[in-house]
Amino acid sequence: MSNLDGKQPSNKRTLKTTTAKLWTWISIIAVILIAGALYVYFIYFKLTPKELYLYSEAQTFKQASEEFQKKYGEELKLNERLTSEPSSSRYNISGEFTTTEQNPDIEMIQQIIEKMSLELQSDIDPHKNQLQSKITVKMDDAKLADAEIYQSSKQLALRVPFLYSQYLYVNSKDFGDMMRKVDPTYAGPDEYSYNMMKWEDILLSEKEKDHVKETYKQFLLDELKEDNFKLIKGATIQVDDQEVDANKIELNMSEKEVQHFMSAFFEKVSKDEELLKIIQKRYALYYDNLKLSDPMGEFPEPKEFKKELKEEFQKLSKEAKDLSVPSGFASTVWVNKDKVVVKREIEFKAGDLDPVDVKVNTLQVDHNGHHIKSFHTEMKSEEDEELVLSFDKKQKDKNREESKYKVVVKEFGKKVVDGQLNLQSDYQNKDGKKQSKHTFDGEIGGDSFENEKLSFSGTLDDETEINLKKDYMDQKFGIDLTIGTNADEFGLTLDFKGNTKFKEKLNFPKLTENQAVNVSELDEQQLFDLQQEMSGNLEKWLMKFMTNMYLGEGS
């Protein structure tokens, strides 16, 4: 895009790029808390149509959360411990590659992949902010090369033995000076500051939870008017050619009502100093990490970030007053006897010059011994552009699920992307191990693929044993993938095997003069000599590698 105002493009990050991941976390947490608050509030009262609508949505979210917790509870506990306790992980990866294409270069790649394996090791101590990672490349089970990196709040070190036998490191306070020695144009942070994400950093305190629950529960009750809701008792929905009883609740808002609601919401957030502080606090914890992720980018300081966030919400509040939703907003839910949403339809049109019709339909119901779930969304403009996403799942019993996914993208009436995926998942718990096998097939085509359909099929196998009482997790994971075009077919097999163990103490490298070189203390000549030595070692290694490949010998 051209710069119409003549200004040079800026590296400064907008709120959309610097806070996307953080805001996603806060949004998810806020939705959870608001849903919980609505559930507690409404459970004791006879409900009006508005209250039944909100309560049913909260109850549905609560049920989904409980199902997720039941299915992935052990994995969630494991991840919580991984971000709060010292742990050591060891994984091995190997694979094969096949193809129908006759090509000497591809045959050489096949031979390399078949002989090669990777060993991944990582030791992490979240509270001491220490991390050591190592990768070892093997050919025919003999070590070909390895490399390791060590990070702490005080130092950053790298060791690649086939290039240089000792650790090369820099102290955090000297990081900027070192980078400018290597690259005079470096404009990143002067100090290297590594902060590891901890579970407790993400979680909201009880005080923060109470604030979000009370503030936004009351906002919904005040801003959504009773006249916008209509209850139709004794309605039904169609499931597998059968009718299922459910009460129907309609929510209809005019364009002006949508504008007012969205403007009021963003204004509420912009004035919510407590919520802005909650977001700012979590941004500040990882501010240094953000700077390191993109040294050329400019990230606002935490205090400035809060100010910019407030201004952004104020801007959104003003813009919402002119939000174009010509037909308003319509949401209809069908609620079962347990006050859980079993079907949902949402419709609205957005935009004025080229309005887009948006339709969202969901279904989640237990019927004839099956748990049926579906999600369909369709966005279509008057310029004949269209996006269709759909997902259908039928759980025949607790051990088997069948799912279908579909995506269609149209531009000017032509299908640019047309893809589908069929998936069958089988689950089994045996001797404390969770076993799953996913069998899939599908195809993707359209004008973007020059009308050549790409077909694919394969399996994913996983066996995981989590024993938190004995402080370990063992895992085996396998992928078998076949991809075919009109002319050729390719196959890829990958196998992962490894474990994670929690430990009281981990051993990290001690960067002493005998086994490490502080590169920030080297002058220009010493740096040049180091680079020359490493270049020579790389050439020797490559010659040895190519000789071994052609002669078929181990290293």
Side-chain angles (χ1 to χ4, degrees):
M1 184 178 293
S2 63
N3 251 352
L4 298 179
D5 58 3
K7 294 182 180 179
Q8 293 297 315
S10 171
N11 286 325
K12 187 171 182 180
R13 293 301 186 91
T14 65
L15 287 171
K16 291 182 180 179
T17 56
T18 59
T19 66
K21 187 177 290 186
L22 181 62
W23 181 242
T24 299
W25 274 106
I26 298 300
S27 300
I28 292 171
I29 293 170
V31 169
I32 293 172
L33 294 176
I34 293 169
L38 291 170
Y39 173 75
V40 173
Y41 179 83
F42 291 130
I43 198 169
Y44 298 106
F45 300 93
K46 183 177 180 181
L47 306 179
T48 65
K50 177 178 77 171
E51 292 170 340
L52 179 59
Y53 180 97
L54 295 174
Y55 173 77
S56 299
E57 290 285 15
Q59 177 78 335
T60 304
F61 187 87
K62 177 175 178 288
Q63 178 178 309
S65 299
E66 290 173 350
E67 290 175 358
F68 185 84
Q69 181 69 38
K70 184 178 179 180
K71 188 172 183 178
Y72 299 106
E74 287 294 294
E75 287 82 353
L76 293 172
K77 291 177 183 177
L78 175 75
N79 287 326
E80 182 177 350
R81 288 188 62 179
L82 286 172
T83 62
S84 59
E85 299 179 31
S87 65
S88 181
S89 298
R90 303 288 185 268
Y91 279 86
N92 182 275
I93 305 173
S94 60
E96 292 183 1
F97 173 68
T98 60
T99 177
T100 57
E101 183 178 350
Q102 301 297 317
N103 186 308
D105 293 332
I106 292 180
E107 288 177 4
M108 178 177 287
I109 294 173
Q110 286 179 274
Q111 292 176 13
I112 293 175
I113 293 176
E114 288 176 3
K115 292 181 178 182
M116 186 179 292
S117 63
L118 300 178
E119 287 185 359
L120 306 177
Q121 304 178 29
S122 66
D123 293 322
I124 303 173
D125 191 331
H127 286 289
K128 292 185 178 180
N129 249 343
Q130 288 180 295
L131 164 67
Q132 183 180 18
S133 298
K134 182 178 180 180
I135 179 171
T136 302
V137 183
K138 290 186 174 183
M139 294 286 287
D140 291 326
D141 293 326
K143 184 170 73 173
L144 177 65
D146 62 342
E148 57 186 287
I149 186 170
Y150 168 72
Q151 293 175 280
S152 73
S153 55
K154 296 181 179 179
Q155 294 173 317
L156 172 65
L158 175 68
R159 180 172 177 263
V160 186
F162 72 89
L163 294 180
Y164 196 78
S165 60
Q166 294 182 308
Y167 284 100
L168 303 176
Y169 78 96
V170 61
N171 292 320
S172 300
K173 60 184 179 62
D174 302 322
F175 183 75
D177 292 336
M178 176 60 227
M179 292 300 295
R180 278 183 285 273
K181 279 185 181 181
V182 178
D183 179 8
T185 64
Y186 173 76
D190 286 326
E191 188 168 331
Y192 176 87
S193 181
Y194 174 71
N195 293 307
M196 198 173 298
M197 186 183 76
K198 302 179 185 68
W199 191 258
E200 56 262 34
D201 293 340
I202 300 171
L203 296 178
L204 273 65
S205 67
E206 291 302 318
K207 181 181 178 182
E208 291 171 334
K209 291 178 186 177
D210 290 341
H211 170 78
V212 175
K213 285 191 295 185
E214 292 303 317
T215 302
Y216 294 95
K217 174 197 74 178
Q218 196 58 49
F219 173 81
L220 291 175
L221 291 171
D222 292 342
E223 293 298 329
L224 293 173
K225 305 305 179 186
E226 194 69 55
D227 291 344
N228 295 128
F229 295 85
K230 180 181 179 182
L231 172 62
I232 303 172
K233 294 184 178 181
T236 59
I237 61 173
Q238 199 79 14
V239 181
D240 287 347
D241 298 325
Q242 294 185 20
E243 291 187 344
V244 177
D245 294 335
N247 288 328
K248 181 179 178 182
I249 312 169
E250 297 175 348
L251 164 62
N252 288 285
M253 300 172 70
S254 67
E255 182 178 47
K256 287 187 177 181
E257 288 172 328
V258 174
Q259 292 170 343
H260 173 79
F261 179 86
M262 296 305 298
S263 178
F265 173 74
F266 289 124
E267 182 181 8
K268 181 76 174 177
V269 174
S270 71
K271 294 180 178 179
D272 190 345
E273 288 296 322
E274 187 63 32
L275 179 60
L276 295 176
K277 287 178 182 177
I278 290 172
I279 301 172
Q280 178 197 28
K281 177 182 176 182
R282 283 146 184 84
Y283 172 81
L285 288 170
Y286 302 103
Y287 170 65
D288 292 328
N289 289 9
L290 287 171
K291 291 194 297 181
L292 286 170
S293 68
D294 184 2
M296 300 303 293
E298 293 183 16
F299 298 89
E301 296 279 347
K303 287 185 179 179
E304 183 66 21
F305 168 79
K306 179 172 174 283
K307 179 183 176 184
E308 289 187 16
L309 192 63
K310 185 183 184 74
E311 290 173 351
E312 187 69 16
F313 282 121
Q314 289 173 339
K315 180 182 176 182
L316 289 171
S317 178
K318 292 179 180 178
E319 292 176 350
K321 293 178 181 179
D322 297 318
L323 188 66
S324 179
V325 278
S327 57
F329 177 84
S331 173
T332 303
V333 297
W334 285 259
V335 179
N336 66 11
K337 61 182 180 181
D338 297 319
K339 297 184 177 63
V340 172
V341 176
V342 291
K343 184 179 178 180
R344 179 186 291 104
E345 291 181 355
I346 297 173
E347 289 188 27
F348 62 93
K349 181 181 287 189
D352 43 18
L353 296 177
D354 183 19
V356 177
D357 282 309
V358 180
K359 296 180 180 179
V360 179
N361 299 322
T362 70
L363 178 69
Q364 180 167 294
V365 62
D366 292 316
H367 183 64
N368 288 342
H370 297 162
H371 182 67
I372 299 170
K373 185 183 292 186
S374 69
F375 172 85
H376 297 261
T377 182
E378 179 181 317
M379 290 178 278
K380 189 173 183 179
S381 74
E382 293 181 357
E383 296 294 329
D384 214 5
E385 296 178 333
E386 185 176 358
L387 169 65
V388 177
L389 298 172
S390 68
F391 157 70
D392 293 279
K393 182 174 76 172
K394 179 177 286 188
Q395 184 174 338
K396 294 189 173 182
D397 54 53
K398 66 178 182 179
N399 295 324
R400 171 166 289 188
E401 295 176 350
E402 293 181 352
S403 307
K404 293 183 178 181
Y405 302 82
K406 188 173 180 62
V407 56
V408 176
V409 179
K410 287 184 179 180
E411 289 183 359
F412 306 110
K414 293 184 178 181
K415 288 186 179 180
V416 180
V417 177
D418 185 6
Q420 62 182 29
L421 168 67
N422 303 310
L423 176 67
Q424 178 178 296
S425 302
D426 294 287
Y427 303 94
Q428 186 176 4
N429 291 339
K430 186 177 181 181
D431 300 327
K433 300 177 182 179
K434 285 186 176 181
Q435 298 175 333
S436 63
K437 182 171 185 175
H438 309 277
T439 305
F440 61 88
D441 66 81
E443 61 182 23
I444 187 166
D447 286 0
S448 294
F449 297 84
E450 297 180 350
N451 292 316
E452 182 177 33
K453 284 191 176 181
L454 187 72
S455 62
F456 54 90
S457 61
T459 58
L460 300 174
D461 292 278
D462 177 67
E463 180 180 283
T464 303
E465 180 182 5
I466 299 176
N467 192 324
L468 297 179
K469 290 183 179 180
K470 294 186 178 180
D471 300 327
Y472 74 85
M473 176 189 73
D474 289 337
Q475 187 174 33
K476 295 178 184 178
F477 184 73
I479 303 174
D480 192 351
L481 174 65
T482 300
I483 301 175
T485 63
N486 295 341
D488 301 298
E489 187 173 275
F490 305 88
L492 178 65
T493 300
L494 291 175
D495 291 304
F496 301 77
K497 183 179 180 180
N499 63 73
T500 297
K501 296 179 180 179
F502 294 100
K503 297 184 176 182
E504 292 185 4
K505 186 179 180 181
L506 296 170
N507 294 318
F508 293 101
K510 294 181 180 179
L511 305 179
T512 62
E513 291 184 4
N514 295 329
Q515 61 174 352
V517 175
N518 186 341
V519 290
S520 65
E521 294 179 349
L522 302 180
D523 59 30
E524 289 187 10
Q525 183 60 48
Q526 289 172 321
L527 276 174
F528 178 78
D529 292 341
L530 177 63
Q531 291 171 350
Q532 289 295 102
E533 182 177 349
M534 293 173 68
S535 295
N537 289 337
L538 177 60
E539 289 181 10
K540 292 177 184 177
W541 181 86
L542 287 172
M543 288 294 294
K544 183 179 179 181
F545 171 72
M546 295 305 295
T547 300
N548 291 338
M549 280 302 302
Y550 281 112
L551 297 179
E553 298 176 359
S555 61

